[in-house]
Amino acid sequence: MNYDQIMQLALERGFYFPSCEVYVDAQAGFWEYGPSGVSLKNKFVELWRRELVRRDRMMEIDGSQIMSQSVFVASGHLSSFADPIVTCQKCKSIFRADKLITEITSMVVPESADLSEFDKIILEKNIVCPRCKGRFDNAHKFNMMFKVDIGPESESAYLRPETCQSIFVDFPRLYKTMRGKLPIGIAQIGKSFRNEISPRQSLLRLREFYQAEIEVFCNPNKLDNLEKFSEVENTELRIMVGENIKTMTCKQSLDSGVLPNKLVTYYLGLLTEFYQKTGIDVTKSRLRKLGDKEKAFYASVAFDFEVETSTGWLELVACNYRSDYDLKSHANVSKEKFEVLDDDVKVLPHVFELSMGIDRSLYTILEHSFQDDKKNDRIVLSLKPYLAPVQVGILSLVKKDGLAEKAEEIFLNLRTKYDTFLDHSGAIGRRYRRLDEVGAPFAVTVDHQTLQDGTVTVRERDSMNQERIKISDLDLYLARETSYP
RNA sequence: GCGGAGUUAGUCCAGCCCGGCACGACGUCAGCUUCCCAAGCUGAAGGUCGCGGGUUCAAAUCCCGCACUCCGCACCA
């Protein structure tokens, strides 16, 4: 189960494939979801809604992907979501200016320093290209946001680099009109855009990607005042303590001081419970507290939810305590009021966020579900039935004797309720194998006995076991077996 | 963006050195046959040989440029 096998399965079975692939100028970092991928993604999103949005009574919004320049002045992305870069005139190597200087002179220059500051130091210390000893061009900033021009006057705007900015900007209205009460989660699923220098590895590093973000607005003085914490107190988390991953319950993590407060712990508990239900192998996951240098510029405390894949540890969710960084700066730049009343006290809420990468999560589900079943000479995707792109295949054992017609009749009765695939052609074993590869958990087969007693066989994907059930019971059977947990 | 290796049908790949109608397998489709786990037989479809230019009577093959993919470096809210 490695990256290449998943990639091949994805291409052959319609999970995902490169965008614009027939054209020469197709750019890296853009991928399309095919039919199987969309079906998996939709079901994953539905699970997310159930386990996080509905469970915690969050609000969900759907904001614009293009946002005006002021938003990113306030958010800090215009100045901070950019790296100071120097280019070697000779070999064209590109270096981060601050890192280069620190490496060679041990001087620490803040990333946010003036560009002229970098040029000055490079000149004074006579820093040359470590590769070819060439001279550097003047430092410049590479901003990772995509800029767009709006209307005939070409007003500056940007494709959002994270979905959460609309949640922050919309917060005052949502809180007022939707009768908000702290703490309150506001969630959003949508696309974000980052102009990565070198995107690679298909869904793992994209320039256009899906995020599911949850921003929890809370009173910073009441982070340990959370009744619903009891819902998760026995939920087990896997947390890195030092070099080791320790399994401990939410309550233990909190009591031992490994996690800072009830609110953060509660949401990390919900998150872990959610991922257990996606079929990702949580024994290959960990929560890792980020060091100061790794954290995003807006985070005061940050945990990554990471999973182990064939490409190494992969970050699926960034859990950042953003304090009042965002609301305060949006208040300053917009001159609007972002404070709210909490128990008759005016407070500027703090924010704890769960910023989930959907594409990476889907990849991990595929990889952790992938089984090379050599004994039965087949590839099986052991997806949870409620996430499977095809939930049931309807097959006729042979085409003749009216079996195909009977299969079609069953298909017509089930097709609007389940993701169903009808197949008459070829050997039955071959058809089972195909269904195994897209992760269809059940295959219903119409045989000669069906015509006599109205029963069909239902084959279970992972065990390959079959049982006979009445056609009239199929709907109930599938409803039970494919329902969300 | 740098260095290395690559790019030929949906997939894996041969052919390239030494220029002459692009090979095979898997998969797909249709039919026959068996009728519950990728069997067999018959037939078919599927290719701008990554893109552009050059050399040549003739380029998948030789030369130049570019793009993309993978690995390493760097980058990674």
Side-chain angles (χ1 to χ4, degrees):
Chain A
M1 72 205 73
N2 60 40
Y3 176 82
D4 292 329
Q5 285 176 292
I6 302 300
M7 194 64 233
Q8 183 168 337
L9 183 73
L11 290 170
E12 286 184 10
R13 295 292 169 205
F15 283 96
Y16 52 88
F17 48 87
S19 182
C20 313
E21 63 179 334
V22 300
Y23 284 104
V24 205
D25 59 351
Q27 294 286 313
F30 299 93
W31 290 73
E32 329 266 52
Y33 283 105
S36 308
V38 169
S39 189
L40 174 65
K41 178 164 73 66
N42 287 343
K43 294 184 175 82
F44 175 86
V45 168
E46 173 61 16
L47 184 67
W48 174 86
R49 285 205 173 96
R50 284 170 172 260
E51 296 298 320
L52 292 159
V53 177
R54 291 189 198 137
R55 173 169 176 186
D56 193 54
R57 299 194 223 173
M58 298 173 186
M59 303 178 190
E60 183 181 347
I61 65 164
D62 184 1
S64 297
Q65 296 179 342
I66 295 176
M67 301 182 81
S68 66
Q69 181 159 263
S70 302
V71 171
F72 302 109
V73 171
S75 73
H77 284 87
L78 213 49
S79 54
S80 300
F81 196 57
D83 296 329
I85 276 175
V86 286
T87 308
C88 171
Q89 293 173 347
K90 198 166 142 202
C91 74
K92 303 294 173 199
S93 293
I94 291 181
F95 297 90
R96 277 268 304 254
D98 55 328
K99 293 201 170 180
L100 183 75
I101 290 170
T102 307
E103 208 173 283
I104 292 177
T105 67
S106 303
M107 290 171 70
V108 176
V109 193
E111 194 190 311
S112 51
D114 273 354
L115 291 176
S116 57
E117 189 72 14
F118 295 112
D119 294 336
K120 206 176 119 198
I121 296 170
I122 286 173
L123 193 67
E124 277 174 6
K125 300 288 177 184
N126 197 27
I127 296 173
V128 291
C129 175
R131 286 236 171 91
C132 74
K133 312 281 181 229
R135 294 255 149 220
F136 286 111
D137 281 334
N138 285 344
H140 63 276
K141 284 218 165 184
F142 174 67
N143 193 293
M144 307 234 302
M145 286 195 293
F146 286 101
K147 192 171 184 194
V148 291
D149 298 327
I150 303 194
E153 299 291 323
S154 295
E155 309 270 1
S156 292
Y158 296 86
L159 290 171
R160 59 186 181 187
E162 49 179 7
T163 55
C164 59
Q165 289 306 323
S166 37
I167 296 179
F168 300 138
V169 171
D170 294 350
F171 174 72
R173 166 180 291 274
L174 289 169
Y175 198 82
K176 278 180 228 158
T177 60
M178 302 306 289
R179 302 172 65 206
K181 194 171 180 308
L182 299 182
I184 178 80
I186 303 181
Q188 177 171 205
I189 284 208
K191 277 196 166 169
S192 292
F193 305 82
R194 294 178 191 179
N195 203 353
E196 298 284 351
I197 296 170
S198 118
R200 249 172 221 192
Q201 292 181 309
S202 61
L203 298 192
L204 303 189
R205 192 122 166 264
L206 296 161
R207 286 184 167 131
E208 175 176 340
F209 58 102
Y210 283 101
Q211 287 188 304
E213 292 199 297
I214 290 165
E215 308 299 318
V216 180
F217 296 86
C218 54
N219 183 333
N221 302 313
K222 294 183 178 176
L223 296 176
D224 280 304
N225 182 358
L226 194 75
E227 270 179 36
K228 58 192 173 187
F229 179 78
S230 61
E231 287 181 33
V232 301
E233 60 184 7
N234 295 318
T235 299
E236 287 191 337
L237 305 177
R238 290 167 51 81
I239 309 181
M240 274 194 96
V241 181
E243 295 292 297
N244 303 311
I245 301 171
K246 272 188 131 172
T247 300
M248 49 209 304
T249 64
C250 285
K251 192 165 187 307
Q252 289 166 340
S253 319
L254 187 64
D255 294 346
S256 61
V258 170
L259 292 178
N261 56 59
K262 276 190 181 176
L263 186 115
V264 165
T265 310
Y266 166 77
Y267 283 101
L268 295 180
L270 282 196
L271 185 72
T272 302
E273 288 189 23
F274 164 73
Y275 270 107
Q276 275 164 353
K277 292 174 181 171
T278 62
I280 284 176
D281 183 356
V282 291
T283 65
K284 292 182 180 167
S285 74
R286 68 183 184 197
L287 284 160
R288 190 171 65 88
K289 187 177 182 177
L290 300 188
D292 287 341
K293 283 177 189 159
E294 289 181 285
K295 284 185 310 195
F297 61 88
Y298 45 68
S300 54
V301 185
F303 293 88
D304 275 356
F305 179 80
E306 300 177 325
V307 290
E308 203 172 5
T309 69
S310 58
T311 63
W313 284 96
L314 177 67
E315 172 192 343
L316 293 189
V317 189
C319 311
N320 297 305
Y321 192 82
R322 300 175 72 126
S323 70
D324 60 0
Y325 176 90
D326 301 277
L327 292 193
K328 192 189 266 174
S329 52
H330 280 303
N332 285 340
V333 174
S334 70
K335 311 288 183 231
E336 292 288 322
K337 289 197 168 57
F338 281 67
E339 292 102 340
V340 301
L341 279 184
D342 182 49
D343 284 342
D344 294 332
V345 181
K346 216 181 222 185
V347 58
L348 183 63
H350 278 203
V351 168
F352 179 60
E353 80 169 352
L354 302 176
S355 174
M356 180 183 297
I358 295 184
D359 314 274
R360 289 174 167 199
S361 297
L362 296 177
Y363 171 83
T364 307
I365 290 173
L366 291 179
E367 191 182 298
H368 285 190
S369 305
F370 187 94
Q371 303 196 49
D372 192 349
D373 180 0
K374 294 204 165 67
K375 195 174 126 217
N376 294 299
D377 192 20
R378 59 176 191 158
I379 300 292
V380 188
L381 266 190
S382 292
L383 299 171
K384 296 284 187 192
Y386 43 88
L387 294 183
V390 174
Q391 294 170 313
V392 55
I394 312 286
L395 316 176
S396 49
L397 187 59
V398 292
K399 245 186 259 187
K400 55 187 183 185
D401 303 333
L403 298 188
E405 289 75 8
K406 191 69 190 169
E408 197 143 343
E409 184 189 316
I410 294 171
F411 167 74
L412 292 177
N413 284 329
L414 295 174
R415 63 177 170 172
T416 58
K417 288 191 166 179
Y418 309 96
D419 283 301
T420 307
F421 185 75
L422 179 69
D423 197 354
H424 301 306
S425 71
I428 190 76
R430 181 187 301 275
R431 283 177 277 163
Y432 287 144
R433 295 298 182 281
R434 264 197 297 251
L435 288 168
D436 290 339
E437 282 191 18
V438 285
F442 303 104
V444 165
T445 303
V446 171
D447 58 16
H448 289 95
Q449 190 180 332
T450 306
L451 302 180
Q452 291 156 21
D453 65 5
T455 63
V456 290
T457 63
V458 177
R459 171 189 184 265
E460 199 275 325
R461 174 195 63 205
D462 296 344
S463 64
M464 297 171 74
N465 288 339
Q466 288 180 295
E467 59 177 313
R468 285 206 88 83
I469 73 171
K470 286 188 194 148
I471 294 173
S472 54
D473 291 341
L474 261 183
D475 187 11
L476 259 179
Y477 177 90
L478 290 171
R480 189 179 69 236
E481 296 294 329
T482 63
S483 67
Y484 285 91

